[in-house]
Amino acid sequence: MRTLIINGSPRPDGNTVALIRELKAHLEGEIIEISAFYDRIAPCIDCRGCWETAQCVVHDGMDVIYGDDFDNVVIASPVYFGTMPGAMLNLLSRMQPWHVATHFLKQPLVQRPKKAAAIVTAGGKGNVRLESMHMGAFFRMLNARGYDDHFALSTKTDTFPADQDESAKEQVLQLTLGALSKAVSEGLLPEVSVKPSVEIPKDTANGDYTTT
């Protein structure tokens, strides 16, 4: 079993990395980790090199994702200004070959089925709505399913560090025992839902989620 972890934080000892370490301490099988900030993943520049082959002409850290050689994929990311950091959005923009294959060439890329999970750290009011939308689009392109039920969340990280958030650490542990476990991957145990116990606050004035 191979698990790809995408680290969306620029802070080497920050809240997101604290929960990544917690995940790696309990995760079975081979672990592949890439950094949206430090693996020199360029953004899509709309060169349209993929319009004929559905393959990106740029070779960098994205080659790990393009290789499609993993069973689980985890995005671990903080929330910046209501969504993912810029480097993560750069990474997501490089999924353009999947879009081209499906909508322009009419030959959708065949992706091996995977399990998806997310780890999110957020300060302020803990808004993860936009971030979760971006994550959902990314996971769908990779044929990675189930992240809505496999989600660990640490909020209030501006005042309460994630490495002290026992609820978030328990959620991460349950990911390794559930969706990301070898036994579940091999069908030996049933899959267990993991969702944060913290309810995302809503603005009662307009019914929308509040901003961070």
Side-chain angles (χ1 to χ4, degrees):
M1 185 180 71
R2 307 183 81 199
T3 299
L4 171 65
I5 300 174
I6 302 173
N7 179 0
S9 174
R11 300 179 61 208
D13 293 304
N15 294 294
T16 301
V17 169
L19 295 184
I20 289 176
R21 289 173 180 158
E22 191 74 19
L23 178 73
K24 292 165 68 175
H26 303 285
L27 196 60
E28 301 173 294
E30 182 181 355
I31 298 172
I32 310 159
E33 184 176 348
I34 63 174
S35 167
F37 278 88
Y38 300 117
D39 281 337
R40 300 182 179 181
I41 297 175
C44 176
I45 58 171
D46 194 26
C47 71
R48 307 191 180 186
C50 62
W51 280 30
E52 293 184 3
T53 64
Q55 295 183 359
C56 185
V57 299
V58 178
H59 295 287
D60 55 17
M62 277 297 291
D63 287 344
V64 174
I65 296 175
Y66 293 151
D68 197 37
D69 188 19
F70 40 91
D71 306 290
N72 306 315
V73 56
V74 180
I75 293 179
S77 175
V79 176
Y80 285 2
F81 205 68
T83 189
M84 294 178 171
M88 277 298 300
L89 295 177
N90 285 346
L91 185 152
L92 264 63
S93 75
R94 293 283 300 283
M95 302 302 288
Q96 182 70 358
W98 275 261
H99 180 80
V100 167
T102 301
H103 298 287
F104 294 173
L105 301 180
K106 308 299 182 183
Q107 297 176 348
L109 298 175
V110 178
Q111 301 291 301
R112 64 190 294 181
K114 310 170 190 67
K115 295 289 179 61
I119 297 172
V120 176
T121 58
K125 296 180 180 179
N127 176 25
V128 298
R129 181 173 63 95
L130 291 177
E131 179 145 341
S132 66
M133 289 172 58
H134 286 128
M135 286 184 175
F138 175 80
F139 286 134
R140 285 193 297 274
M141 287 189 180
L142 280 183
N143 195 20
R145 305 298 178 183
Y147 109 96
D148 286 336
D149 291 318
H150 311 133
F151 198 101
L153 174 64
S154 180
T155 59
K156 307 296 183 183
T157 55
D158 44 353
T159 58
F160 189 61
D163 61 1
Q164 298 177 27
D165 188 341
E166 295 302 324
S167 174
K169 291 196 287 186
E170 177 63 23
Q171 293 167 35
V172 171
L173 174 62
Q174 291 304 314
L175 289 177
T176 67
L177 298 175
L180 304 180
S181 75
K182 185 176 180 181
V184 170
S185 178
E186 295 178 351
L188 302 177
L189 289 175
E191 195 169 308
V192 178
S193 174
V194 178
K195 293 184 178 180
S197 58
V198 178
E199 182 178 354
I200 300 172
K202 289 187 178 182
D203 183 339
T204 55
N206 59 23
D208 198 4
Y209 289 93
T210 54
T211 58
T212 55

